[in-house]
Amino acid sequence: MIRIAVVLATTIAGCLQPASAQTASGDITIVHQAPELQPAHGAIVIGYRRSDDESAGNSGTLEFARYDIDNRRLSVWDRQDWEGYEGETQTNPNILLFTSRDRHAEREYLILPAEQGHYALVGATVSRSDGPHSFCLSAPVFRVAAGEIVYFGDVTPYSGVRLANGQRATSMAYSLNVDDARAAVVEQMGSAEAFRTADIRNGATFACPIQLINAYEVPGAPRLEEERLREESPPMLDEELPAENLTLGS
């Protein structure tokens, strides 16, 4: 499955960097930050998977931001009382950056705390690619409740990979590997009692920056309907899904 829509751009300011704490077990590297959750917080789990020669050695960043489901917009600048706020250089608590820390690991999992609410995958960057991409045309969105450890999925970073038609493309291919992610959470947090897969909906939109703009859709996830997203969780995507080639740009 290939989805391409390209125009030039810059990135949304602000980030939450993962901590430097890191453990390695075989071909699995797990990076974590603040595993003890604060009140009104959950956590998001992201995996990086490099299972072929084309993805080996590639790194990347996924950018998630708080999303206002009712008004279909990012909630990035809603909080003005950030401690030590000094403009665009200050860490923005409404933006989470999941940056790969070990590009040679076959499987790598990152766990970041997230304040309860809805989050959209707003952008991505792949190493050696042509720059950051915004998914403002259509993005996956999901909810994090307090105390939950929510697994979004795994991505495989491709940079300039050659397609069957001879063209080259940059991609973050999506796959769902629930057992591996659950094992990563157990290793880092001691228990997977609060672990669940994200109730993903495709089709979240928001104002496009001056950036490479694309759509990113998770295979098998329903589209976000026009009415308000219901608070009750839809059926979970617990089955293993194969990677899909969701292209960021060509």
Side-chain angles (χ1 to χ4, degrees), residues 4-22:
I4 306 177
V6 183
V7 173
L8 273 195
T10 119
T11 190
I12 300 174
C15 67
L16 179 60
Q17 295 287 355
S20 58
Q22 178 171 308

Side-chain angles (χ1 to χ4, degrees), residues 12-217:
I12 300 174
C15 67
L16 179 60
Q17 295 287 355
S20 58
Q22 178 171 308
T23 65
S25 175
D27 61 357
I28 304 175
T29 298
I30 303 169
V31 182
H32 70 278
Q33 176 173 358
E36 294 185 4
L37 303 182
Q38 301 299 314
H41 282 68
I44 298 173
V45 183
I46 299 295
Y48 281 91
R49 183 169 293 258
R50 306 168 183 88
S51 55
D52 53 30
D53 292 341
E54 288 75 16
S55 60
N58 287 339
S59 61
T61 296
L62 294 183
E63 181 177 2
F64 290 82
R66 290 284 297 275
Y67 188 73
D68 183 343
I69 280 287
D70 294 332
N71 297 301
R72 300 299 176 88
R73 67 179 184 88
L74 297 181
S75 301
V76 173
W77 303 110
D78 285 355
R79 290 168 55 178
Q80 300 299 323
D81 56 346
W82 308 328
E83 183 178 355
Y85 177 69
E86 296 177 355
E88 293 185 355
T89 59
Q90 171 63 26
T91 295
N92 187 326
N94 294 326
I95 295 177
L96 302 179
L97 287 188
F98 290 81
T99 300
S100 170
R101 302 298 293 272
D102 186 351
R103 63 189 179 91
H104 299 294
E106 181 178 339
R107 286 174 288 166
E108 178 184 8
Y109 284 93
L110 296 90
I111 306 171
L112 291 183
E115 188 174 356
Q116 62 185 0
H118 288 95
Y119 287 82
L121 174 59
V122 299
T125 303
V126 180
S127 62
R128 304 192 300 274
S129 71
D130 50 0
H133 293 253
S134 169
F135 301 134
C136 57
L137 300 180
S138 177
V141 62
F142 59 95
R143 179 171 174 77
V144 176
E148 290 184 336
I149 312 300
V150 181
Y151 169 54
F152 171 78
D154 287 14
V155 293
T156 299
Y158 292 107
S159 179
V161 66
R162 187 175 295 279
L163 304 178
N165 61 9
Q167 296 182 347
R168 292 188 177 274
T170 296
S171 173
M172 282 285 197
Y174 180 90
S175 62
L176 197 63
N177 301 279
V178 177
D179 290 342
D180 288 345
R182 185 182 288 111
V185 170
V186 170
E187 181 170 342
Q188 279 301 303
M189 306 185 75
S191 171
E193 182 177 353
F195 176 90
R196 73 172 181 84
T197 54
D199 53 338
I200 296 172
R201 292 287 187 268
N202 290 320
T205 57
F206 48 92
C208 290
I210 305 173
Q211 190 172 355
L212 291 164
I213 62 172
N214 297 348
Y216 191 104
E217 297 192 349

